[in-house]
Amino acid sequence: MLQSIFAIFLFQLVGEVLQKYFALTVPGPVIGLLLLLLALLASDRFSNLAATKVKQSLAATAETLLSHLPLLFVPIGVGVVMHVAALEGQLFAVLGVIFIGTVLTVGFSALLMEKLQGRGSRNGG
Amino acid sequence: MADEQKLYSIWVYLQAEPLFWLTLTIGAYLVGDFCYRRSGLFALFNPVALGIIIVSAVLLMFDIQYERYFDGAKFIHFLLGPATVALAIPIYGKWKLIRQHAGAILTTVLLGSCFAILTTWALASLFGLERDIVLSLLPRSVTAPIAMGVAEIIGGIPSLTAIITIITGIIGAAFATFTLDLLRVTNMSARGFAIGLASHGIGTARAMSRNETAGVFAAVAMGLSGIVTALIVPLMIFLFNI
């Protein structure tokens, strides 16, 4: 458990340093995600007992960390409610744009994805 | 009188320590989760939205500065970073499925991100919003750090974009399930992908808490749409001179 937490923190740390050093727009944790994914995929090349154990431990830690992911957004969400006055008179128009735009985007993307996947499987992909 | 003073000094002490704010945050979320389960998974009662409303109500009721609350709650906020990195592990677990759908994933992320940006622009113009607010709205579908960076490049207001982005996430988390049920999309990977594309981390969190395949596809969509949006929005501004 502790080793897995250390590994996850370490990948984030490397991600944050790379982000700052190269002034990237992609956030540090996302870079950490990509690096960890690459490391895991690379580890497939030499499958031994130690690697399998590390992965099992990582999987257990990730499950704990991700099981209540929405909770982690509460503090920043409260900030939005407290600072919503920044939108002044345009609040309802902005909310309207966000609501309609988000619902349309979810619908469009899901239907497109489903259609493309369906076609892929018919072609045997 | 002495008792009242004692209680007041305890309250002062609690406000200055993280314990009270952390307990309040987790408690509010658990209440939200309870209501959500009790309501038969009714979309509007989603745990994150209810948790935010409860904590905000407490802060407003007792006239507490957000900065004071966040100083305690930041320990929960901190976990967002490691949790984002940890998404690599379920993604790795479903890697075969992701590779199998690589074509659909790339096409959808490109067209879906453009769709999100263009509908936002069209709606914002239709509603007659001011130019700096329109620009702040454009990158709203992607994770806040990317969206803020894009807003800065194109001349929007980054702090406003941060607020807009979080609202987008909450609305996505609250209404995506309903929308997808209405459209009868049953494929978990397509459902998750759409949620992650339209409403980044908050949508992904929601998808992950419901179904692992949906969560993984949401995380992939969130990452890719962030990159695509960061490239496309400045390009669109440059080409169309919005």
Side-chain angles (χ1 to χ4, degrees):
Chain A
M1 184 77 172
L2 194 58
Q3 289 95 325
S4 304
I5 293 176
F6 173 73
I8 290 169
F9 278 30
L10 189 65
F11 274 94
Q12 185 186 349
L13 189 69
V14 172
E16 303 275 13
V17 170
L18 289 175
Q19 189 267 330
K20 294 265 183 302
Y21 189 81
F22 294 105
L24 303 168
T25 45
V26 179
V30 175
I31 300 171
L33 186 167
L34 288 174
L35 293 175
L36 179 55
L37 181 61
L38 288 176
L40 286 168
L41 292 171
S43 76
D44 281 347
R45 290 175 181 273
F46 35 103
S47 57
N48 58 38
L49 199 67
T52 314
K53 270 201 164 155
V54 168
K55 278 185 227 171
Q56 275 170 356
S57 159
L58 269 176
T61 307
E63 204 182 311
T64 313
L65 203 50
L66 296 175
S67 58
H68 289 290
L69 197 51
L71 165 70
L72 311 186
F73 289 96
V74 172
I76 198 162
V78 173
V80 169
V81 174
M82 304 303 270
H83 290 122
V84 89
L87 288 168
E88 287 172 14
Q90 305 200 296
L91 177 63
F92 288 103
V94 168
L95 285 180
V97 173
I98 296 176
F99 178 79
I100 302 170
T102 304
V103 168
L104 287 178
T105 304
V106 167
F108 173 81
S109 309
L111 291 175
L112 177 65
M113 179 85 169
E114 201 175 47
K115 201 174 170 85
L116 291 169
Q117 281 176 324
R119 198 180 56 198
S121 56
R122 265 211 302 281
N123 293 342
Chain B
M1 189 65 197
D3 264 7
E4 217 168 273
Q5 222 152 23
K6 213 187 250 174
L7 282 176
Y8 181 73
S9 70
I10 292 174
W11 173 232
V12 170
Y13 161 78
L14 286 178
Q15 281 189 52
E17 295 289 323
L19 177 66
F20 179 69
W21 305 121
L22 292 171
T23 312
L24 174 67
T25 307
I26 297 175
Y29 177 79
L30 286 174
V31 170
D33 200 42
F34 177 79
C35 293
Y36 174 62
R37 284 175 202 289
R38 263 305 168 87
S39 67
L41 310 184
F42 179 58
L44 270 181
F45 281 164
N46 76 90
V48 66
L50 276 178
I52 290 166
I53 291 167
I54 294 168
V55 174
S56 304
V58 170
L59 298 191
L60 290 171
M61 211 174 348
F62 294 100
D63 198 21
I64 291 155
Q65 292 274 311
Y66 174 67
E67 286 67 26
R68 169 155 274 192
Y69 161 75
F70 191 79
D71 204 44
K74 69 184 173 198
F75 297 101
I76 290 175
H77 177 74
F78 164 77
L79 288 173
L80 264 183
T84 304
V85 176
L87 285 171
I89 295 146
I91 291 177
Y92 166 74
K94 302 253 182 229
W95 191 246
K96 241 184 178 163
L97 192 64
I98 292 168
R99 278 192 58 174
Q100 210 181 333
H101 293 294
I105 285 174
L106 292 176
T107 313
T108 308
V109 82
L110 270 175
L111 295 179
S113 298
C114 289
F115 183 88
I117 298 160
L118 290 174
T119 48
T120 300
W121 175 74
L123 288 165
S125 309
L126 191 72
F127 288 179
L129 287 167
E130 284 162 24
R131 185 183 150 85
D132 53 346
I133 295 188
V134 176
L135 292 176
S136 307
L137 271 163
L138 288 183
R140 67 178 179 81
S141 301
V142 302
T143 187
I146 296 183
M148 288 168 77
V150 173
E152 196 166 3
I153 292 169
I154 63 175
I157 309 160
S159 59
L160 190 62
T161 299
I163 294 176
I164 288 167
T165 306
I166 306 292
I167 297 175
T168 299
I170 294 167
I171 287 182
F175 294 100
T177 307
F178 179 71
T179 309
L180 294 167
D181 287 345
L182 203 71
L183 294 172
R184 299 208 178 103
V185 179
T186 51
N187 187 330
M188 275 302 159
S189 55
R191 287 175 72 101
F193 200 81
I195 297 174
L197 191 150
S199 53
H200 57 92
I202 304 180
T204 299
R206 159 80 169 188
M208 192 62 101
S209 69
R210 294 291 301 278
N211 177 288
E212 210 203 13
T213 302
V216 164
F217 274 80
V220 171
M222 170 181 82
L224 292 176
S225 72
I227 294 164
V228 168
T229 302
L231 297 172
I232 282 184
V233 172
L235 190 71
M236 278 185 176
I237 299 284
F238 176 72
L239 287 178
F240 305 123
N241 202 14
I242 295 172

